[in-house]
Amino acid sequence: MATFLGSVFLLIAGYIIYSKAVEKIFGINDQNPTPAYQHSDGLDFVPISWWKGSLIQLLNIAGLGPIFGAVSGALYGPVAFIWIVIGCIFAGAVHDYFSGMMSLRHNGEQFPALVGRYIGPAMKKFINLFSIVLMILVAAAFTAGPAQLISSITPLSFMAALVLVFAYFILAAVLPVNKIIGKIYPLLGAILIFMAAAIGIALLFSNKQIPNLTLKNLHPAELPVWPLLMVTISCGAISGFHSTQSPIVARTLKKESEGRKVFFGAMIGEGIIALIWAAAGMTFFGGTNGLQEALAAGGPAGAVNEISQSLLGTLGGILAILGVIILPITTGDTALRSSRMMLTEVLASVMDTNGKWKVLLITIAVGVPTFYLSTIDYSFLWRYVGWTNQVVATVMLWTGTMYLLKQGKFHWICGLPALFMTAVVSSYIFYAPEGFQLSYQTSMVIGSVISTVVISWYIVQIYKHRNLQNNSGDTKAA
């Protein structure tokens, strides 16, 4: 129990202390007009209060991610607490802050446009496609599950429920951000917080002992912690999906100082939610062996439902059903909205994208493949979401690093987690079942080689920008 409570304390301390350091390095100025006012369009650029923005951001980035991912990651034992705390403070929250604030500084630009600015047009083209594919995969993966549950508790067939969910998706993607998202999401965000807090409190006062820290890998199947844990628990530690969601809220902020509360704060909140569910997973079923049996029997949804009903009774059952239906839907709809915004930026260079009908047509263009993918096997989709998600996170961290390098600021706050995540994704894809399925040793060697190449590139960039800044200083002095 001490490890769990200590982890919660560290996350809160991380927000109080480290978020201010990150904000200071970034450098805010409330005199700068924000995109919400500069580009007000009544659709995406609409001023919203920071507290609503925080709850919208939390719901956008969270959904079922910090619940299902954390419960699955709990199979590794208390070592999952370490990854959630360190990953959330020094990687995930930094990633979210820079993705949101850089968008704010650049007229509400989407993630691929930011990549193009700071890493180059070739990477922008790659990440445009990669990000839109991720958004479609996420929207599809978070549609089938709710539709199946709706069809099981109502007279609707699976296809009817799917059509119903997608009708809502289209509406949420094309209506002004303050109509559905701005009105409903703060309430749903509050429900997500209440659900996690209720589980956490019930767990603390139950007769079950939350395990304390051990570095031993407790996974029943003896799967390696590195790099699998870092992909299994993404939401709650670091998730590239967040960099596609932050621009949605960045286009609504009234001033730059709100960014720390909205972007850094929401990520810390998600980390606490992940801690609670990781603790519940490794505690409720009597250890990781019991958790593995529960996951094999009913998957993460079944495990969450059993935990909720047992700890909270009828209320828990209601919350579990609400969570499994509503939370993934709120992730899917903003994923579709993000893909619409990204495709709009791509098409803006070759055609006029203004007008309600064009917005609807672009939404349908990304909605059709999403709908098709939602009809195939959910587990197949989810396998590819994990690695794709963390690649996007890695690229966003490198984008933040290059931004700080060009600004002549302390770039290591993005550079070090970027190097870490580069090693994660480089080794994971060669070992994972959805990847090349090479031996563990071979995968680690290849990952190390790729990481060494990237470190060399980073060092070159450091010296390159240092020389540019020195030459610029000499020119000004002359």
Side-chain angles (χ1 to χ4, degrees):
M1 183 178 293
T3 300
F4 169 69
L5 293 175
S7 297
V8 173
F9 171 80
L10 287 174
L11 283 178
I12 295 172
Y15 173 72
I16 295 171
I17 300 170
Y18 196 59
S19 70
K20 291 181 180 178
V22 171
E23 181 185 63
K24 185 176 181 180
I25 291 169
F26 182 85
I28 61 167
N29 183 357
D30 280 343
Q31 298 305 310
N32 293 335
T34 63
Y37 295 109
Q38 281 185 306
H39 305 284
S40 180
D41 63 358
L43 177 64
D44 297 316
F45 295 88
V46 180
I48 293 177
S49 62
W50 73 263
W51 67 268
K52 280 189 177 181
S54 295
L55 289 171
I56 292 169
Q57 176 73 0
L58 177 62
L59 201 64
N60 283 358
I61 67 175
L64 283 175
I67 301 177
F68 282 12
V71 169
S72 298
L75 285 170
Y76 293 90
V79 70
F81 292 151
I82 300 176
W83 166 235
I84 292 171
V85 171
I86 295 177
C88 183
I89 296 172
F90 298 105
V94 172
H95 167 281
D96 288 15
Y97 183 79
F98 273 83
S99 62
M101 292 303 292
M102 288 173 65
S103 175
L104 190 74
R105 281 282 173 88
H106 294 296
N107 302 310
E109 281 184 350
Q110 288 290 300
F111 164 61
L114 296 174
V115 172
R117 277 182 180 272
Y118 293 100
I119 300 184
M123 180 59 78
K124 177 183 177 181
K125 291 177 182 177
F126 166 75
I127 211 67
N128 249 321
L129 177 62
F130 207 80
S131 298
I132 292 174
V133 168
L134 173 61
M135 292 303 93
I136 290 173
L137 283 172
V138 168
F142 281 129
T143 302
Q148 287 172 350
L149 184 55
I150 290 171
S151 66
S152 68
I153 62 176
T154 70
L156 294 175
S157 66
F158 170 71
M159 187 55 66
L162 201 63
V163 170
L164 184 66
V165 170
F166 253 85
Y168 163 76
F169 275 15
I170 298 294
L171 278 176
V174 301
L175 287 176
V177 68
N178 61 333
K179 295 301 181 184
I180 292 181
I181 293 175
K183 284 183 167 56
I184 300 175
Y185 275 37
L187 174 62
L188 299 180
I191 290 174
L192 175 63
I193 294 171
F194 175 77
M195 180 181 182
I199 291 294
I201 293 170
L203 195 63
L204 288 174
F205 287 95
S206 71
N207 58 359
K208 301 179 185 297
Q209 187 63 40
I210 302 173
N212 283 318
L213 181 62
T214 173
L215 297 180
K216 185 179 179 181
N217 180 6
L218 300 180
H219 200 293
E222 298 183 351
L223 295 178
V225 170
W226 173 272
L228 300 188
L229 177 61
M230 291 74 194
V231 176
T232 303
I233 301 181
S234 54
C235 291
I238 178 171
S239 168
F241 176 68
H242 299 186
S243 66
T244 68
Q245 300 302 290
S246 293
I248 294 177
V249 179
R251 295 181 177 193
T252 71
L253 295 188
K254 296 180 179 180
K255 53 186 180 180
E256 290 189 354
S257 59
E258 294 174 346
R260 183 174 70 90
K261 292 177 282 191
V262 172
F263 301 120
F264 206 105
M267 183 62 213
I268 294 296
E270 186 186 50
I272 293 174
I273 292 171
L275 274 178
I276 290 170
W277 282 102
M282 66 183 73
T283 303
F284 183 81
F285 299 100
T288 57
N289 286 308
L291 174 60
Q292 186 182 49
E293 292 174 4
L295 291 173
V304 167
N305 184 55
E306 187 174 347
I307 292 170
S308 301
Q309 290 198 32
S310 297
L311 290 179
L312 302 177
T314 303
L315 173 63
I318 294 172
L319 289 174
I321 291 174
L322 282 174
V324 175
I325 292 178
I326 294 175
L327 295 181
I329 287 176
T330 58
T331 299
D333 63 5
T334 51
L336 195 65
R337 190 181 186 94
S338 294
S339 61
R340 185 263 293 169
M341 292 163 65
M342 288 179 189
L343 187 56
T344 298
E345 283 191 353
V346 172
L347 296 176
S349 60
V350 295
M351 61 177 283
D352 178 18
T353 56
N354 294 318
K356 294 180 180 179
W357 286 108
K358 290 178 181 178
V359 170
L360 178 60
L361 288 173
I362 293 171
T363 304
I364 291 172
V366 292
V368 169
T370 304
F371 184 85
Y372 168 73
L373 288 173
S374 65
T375 63
I376 67 177
D377 181 33
Y378 169 88
S379 60
F380 171 81
L381 288 175
W382 193 244
R383 287 203 304 269
Y384 291 93
V385 168
W387 182 75
T388 307
N389 183 51
Q390 298 303 63
V391 169
V392 170
T394 305
V395 174
M396 181 61 235
L397 284 171
W398 282 121
T399 304
T401 303
M402 296 305 297
Y403 170 83
L404 292 172
L405 272 172
K406 290 187 177 184
Q407 295 286 325
K409 296 181 177 180
F410 188 71
H411 52 86
W412 295 104
I413 60 168
C414 286
L416 289 178
L419 286 171
F420 180 86
M421 291 306 298
T422 298
V424 168
V425 298
S426 298
S427 53
Y428 179 89
I429 193 60
F430 292 99
Y431 177 68
E434 65 271 26
F436 295 97
Q437 302 181 35
L438 302 179
S439 70
Y440 185 75
Q441 291 76 12
T442 302
S443 301
M444 296 308 104
V445 170
I446 296 174
S448 298
V449 171
I450 294 174
S451 298
T452 301
V453 171
V454 174
I455 290 171
S456 302
W457 169 82
Y458 186 22
I459 292 172
V460 169
Q461 295 302 313
I462 292 172
Y463 281 103
K464 174 184 173 182
H465 286 87
R466 186 176 296 169
N467 290 334
L468 286 173
Q469 287 153 16
N470 288 338
N471 292 336
S472 176
D474 292 343
T475 302
K476 289 179 181 178

